Amino acid sequence: SQTIHQWPATLVQPVGSPLSLECTVEGTSNPNLYWYRQAAGRGLQLLFYSVGIGQISSEVPQNLSASRPQDRQFILSSKKLLLSDSGFYLCAWSVWTNEKLFFGSGTQLSVL
Amino acid sequence: AQSVTQLGSHVSVSEGALVLLRCNYSSSVPPYLFWYVQYPNQGLQLLLKYTSAATLVKGINGFEAEFKKSETSFHLTKPSAHMSDAAEYFCAVSDLGTDKLIFGTGTRLQVFP
């Protein structure tokens, strides 16, 4: 069966420090991969999505970047965190376009 | 561009009462529509999905939603609320041929005994 792993579960980082959140999927090949951020009162905002290795689409101009070095690995990064980067980050995958998303358990990021 | 609007960021009902969570969509073509539920400190789970088949869609945990093109709505309902239904609910839309879901801002459902 397919599973998705996202870590860490919680992270507290100072302003200006780097960030690396990792997401891996098991049990499927060539999934679509997504990073979402959930901020209070703003729902889920799509940050990045990828339909294949090295293929990244950015939805919102921001301080973050994403990479897909392997088929089932999706990494969210920042060189210097801002206070506004705080939020709940969710990784997700789907098999086909318009199919349902399977979500990871999320990372609560607090930038202080 | 497609979008969804969820009316009411908070909804409170008594246990056993009807649950109605509202969602209106904007899409230039017939959309795919989804409802997801998020329990505290967890990721999201799919409740149900509309893909242009039957307009009344039944999901898990007794929830259902009706697609009404004339009203551009996809409201989520449950006849009788349980305490375990307390969670945040997200409506989402995608257009045929796109690779992404656009989510609404969410509605937090509280259920009182």
Side-chain angles (χ1 to χ4, degrees), chain A residues 77-99:
Chain A
S77 304
S78 173
K79 292 182 180 178
K80 289 185 178 181
L81 284 169
L82 304 173
L83 288 174
S84 57
D85 292 324
S86 293
F88 191 55
Y89 289 81
L90 286 158
C91 180
W93 70 275
S94 67
V95 176
W96 303 108
T97 299
N98 300 124
E99 282 298 311

Side-chain angles (χ1 to χ4, degrees), chain A residues 39-74:
Chain A
R42 296 183 60 185
L44 279 167
Q45 182 182 35
L46 177 62
L47 302 177
F48 302 96
Y49 71 97
S50 171
V51 299
I53 296 175
Q55 299 178 60
I56 309 294
S57 295
S58 174
E59 289 298 300
V60 183
Q62 57 205 322
N63 186 41
L64 303 169
S65 62
S67 62
R68 185 171 178 173
Q70 300 180 44
D71 181 44
R72 290 170 288 180
Q73 184 185 28
F74 205 24

Side-chain angles (χ1 to χ4, degrees), chain B residues 16-92:
Chain B
L18 171 71
V19 175
L20 171 61
L21 305 182
R22 299 178 186 275
C23 173
N24 288 89
Y25 69 90
S26 172
S27 175
S28 58
V29 298
Y32 286 6
L33 293 159
F34 305 76
W35 275 100
Y36 282 82
V37 60
Q38 184 181 26
Y39 298 103
N41 301 314
Q42 296 184 26
L44 280 72
Q45 303 171 34
L46 181 69
L47 272 179
L48 50 80
K49 168 185 172 183
Y50 167 76
T51 57
S52 73
T55 55
L56 182 62
V57 182
K58 294 187 182 298
I60 61 171
N61 301 337
F63 284 93
E64 62 183 34
E66 186 173 8
F67 173 71
K68 292 187 177 180
K69 185 178 179 180
S70 61
E71 299 177 6
T72 61
S73 69
F74 190 58
H75 302 329
L76 182 71
T77 60
K78 182 174 180 178
S80 177
H82 293 167
M83 296 296 292
S84 60
D85 294 328
E88 187 139 19
Y89 292 80
F90 291 91
C91 182

